[in-house]
Amino acid sequence: MRRSLERAFREFAEARTGQLFRSGCLLTSGDTHLAEDLVQETLGRMYVVWGRSAVRLGNPAAYAQTVLVRTFLAHQRRRSAGERPSDDLPEAVAAGAGDPSLRLTLLDALRQLPPRDRAVIVLRYWEDRSIEETADALHLSSAAVRTRSTRALAKLRAQLGGSVTEFASM
């Protein structure tokens, strides 16, 4: 039984690590090292509850995303979270198609948002979650999610010149 649970968790982790890392990169505005740390922390927390609640987890992928976002928000509350070793050398997200300068521009715009607003944008528009799912993941009301997403999108539009749609294909 234990080996089958470990095998199931290993398969889950291998399948979801890439998606968790990409979401982590968006949450951290391109800080790949912090994104890796968040993914490791998320998978560690998932492993602890995997055997006890594998049956109760209706959607372990969504639960992992929720754990990732909550881990990110907990990290942002720490005093040392605002420290950056260097602001001159931005790191690219993950290798892939698209214009790197557009990606960096979008990551910089996301970096300007407060952590909770950034989490709402990532969950709503990157993870394509509903308002209710986002509210549940962040322990907010649906109205708060709508308000935060509206304000965050307005800030992004102001920073990006009003044309957010060109970044949607990234």
Side-chain angles (χ1 to χ4, degrees), residues 9 35 48 53 57 63 67 82 105-106 111 130 141 147 149 161 169:
F9 178 77
V48 170
S53 61
L57 289 177
Y63 182 72
V67 171
T105 302
L106 180 58
R111 185 179 292 117
S130 70
S141 67
T147 301
S149 63
S169 64

Side-chain angles (χ1 to χ4, degrees), residues 9-164:
F9 178 77
R10 188 177 306 119
E11 289 172 2
F12 168 80
E14 289 171 358
R16 296 300 302 171
T17 297
Q19 180 65 32
L20 289 170
F21 177 72
R22 287 187 292 278
S23 294
C25 284
L26 288 172
L27 287 169
T28 62
S29 300
D31 185 346
T32 57
H33 301 291
L34 179 55
E36 289 171 350
D37 290 347
L38 292 174
V39 170
Q40 288 299 319
E41 180 72 23
T42 297
L43 291 176
R45 290 179 184 188
M46 289 290 295
Y47 183 77
V48 170
V49 299
W50 190 264
R52 294 187 304 228
S53 61
V55 175
R56 292 183 305 179
L57 289 177
N59 188 349
Y63 182 72
Q65 265 324 114
T66 300
V67 171
L68 178 76
V69 169
R70 289 181 182 165
T71 303
F72 164 73
L73 292 173
H75 177 269
Q76 291 301 304
R77 284 190 291 271
R78 292 186 200 127
R79 175 172 276 167
S80 64
E83 297 175 1
R84 289 211 162 260
S86 174
D87 208 24
D88 298 331
L89 301 171
E91 297 181 34
V93 180
D99 183 7
S101 64
L102 289 176
R103 185 183 330 256
L104 291 174
T105 302
L106 180 58
L107 288 174
D108 186 50
L110 283 171
R111 185 179 292 117
Q112 304 302 316
L113 295 176
R116 280 201 179 260
D117 289 351
R118 194 178 325 152
V120 167
I121 293 296
V122 169
L123 288 175
R124 285 281 294 130
Y125 301 103
W126 173 258
E127 292 297 323
D128 199 28
R129 289 198 184 187
S130 70
I131 291 173
E132 292 76 22
E133 290 171 330
T134 303
D136 185 49
L138 297 175
H139 297 297
L140 297 171
S141 67
S142 297
V145 168
R146 282 191 292 274
T147 301
R148 283 187 178 274
S149 63
T150 300
R151 289 180 184 164
L153 285 175
K155 289 177 186 176
L156 286 175
R157 284 187 187 103
Q159 290 175 351
L160 300 173
S163 178
V164 178

